[in-house]
Amino acid sequence: INMNRINLKMLTLIVLCLFVEMIHAQKITEWIGGASGREQDWFCNKNWTTQTVPNEFSTVIIKNRFTNKTFYPKIKCGIAKVWNLEMEPSAELFIEKYAELWVMNSIQIKNIKYIQSKGKLLFLNSTSFARNNTQNVVKDVCSQLESTN
């Protein structure tokens, strides 16, 4: 019986450590843009507050920036993956013809001005799509929004 308690405690400790690591692995990063020569390049680490390109464990925040030198993200080709995508009102995102953006968990779009997509926006969790005050959502963006569920 004593051995079973030790095994149960050890198992609990391992599960707790894995849970903490999983929570810690999810990083929040904001788009800042403007890296010299690659001002709009999604895949340029200098365009992100964490100085790393987001991955499937990242919560990405794209804010509206009202300056003369605003550079919003553009995915020109390849596949970009994120855990969550949050876009502030009037923020923009460009997905080119040979590009895809995979959102693994949730999308939050608040009165979006533009998602210009010639490529694919894949939403892999159909239960967490939040559109607040989205009267200005571009119709062809919604038609390109796909769910794999």
Side-chain angles (χ1 to χ4, degrees), residues 43-55:
F43 295 106
C44 177
N45 61 349
K46 292 180 180 178
N47 284 327
W48 299 98
T49 56
T50 56
Q51 297 292 299
T52 58
V53 176
N55 61 28

Side-chain angles (χ1 to χ4, degrees), residues 53-84:
V53 176
N55 61 28
E56 61 270 20
F57 302 107
S58 303
T59 292
V60 167
I61 300 171
I62 302 172
K63 293 186 173 187
N64 52 358
R65 303 202 183 272
F66 298 109
T67 66
N68 291 338
K69 298 250 180 183
T70 300
F71 298 104
Y72 288 110
K74 182 182 286 187
I75 306 169
K76 291 183 180 180
C77 63
I79 298 172
K81 297 178 185 178
V82 300
W83 182 250
N84 296 315

Side-chain angles (χ1 to χ4, degrees), residues 24-143:
H24 212 19
Q26 293 181 8
K27 302 285 184 200
I28 296 174
T29 187
E30 286 184 29
W31 173 263
I32 50 177
S36 181
R38 298 175 70 185
E39 292 83 0
Q40 290 185 278
D41 187 351
W42 178 282
F43 295 106
C44 177
N45 61 349
K46 292 180 180 178
N47 284 327
W48 299 98
T49 56
T50 56
Q51 297 292 299
T52 58
V53 176
N55 61 28
E56 61 270 20
F57 302 107
S58 303
T59 292
V60 167
I61 300 171
I62 302 172
K63 293 186 173 187
N64 52 358
R65 303 202 183 272
F66 298 109
T67 66
N68 291 338
K69 298 250 180 183
T70 300
F71 298 104
Y72 288 110
K74 182 182 286 187
I75 306 169
K76 291 183 180 180
C77 63
I79 298 172
K81 297 178 185 178
V82 300
W83 182 250
N84 296 315
L85 175 64
E86 297 178 17
M87 293 182 66
E88 287 190 349
S90 301
E92 298 182 31
L93 171 64
F94 303 90
I95 305 170
E96 296 294 322
K97 184 175 181 179
Y98 299 106
E100 296 180 9
L101 175 59
W102 296 11
V103 180
M104 312 308 264
N105 186 48
S106 70
I107 298 176
Q108 294 181 24
I109 301 172
K110 298 175 183 141
N111 198 16
I112 188 169
K113 183 178 177 184
Y114 295 114
I115 292 182
Q116 295 184 16
S117 179
K118 296 175 185 173
K120 290 184 180 179
L121 174 59
L122 298 171
F123 185 53
L124 305 177
N125 181 356
S126 62
T127 61
S128 299
F129 181 58
R131 295 189 306 176
N132 302 323
N133 302 319
T134 54
Q135 299 167 357
N136 297 329
V137 173
V138 180
K139 288 183 181 177
D140 71 351
V141 170
C142 292
S143 68

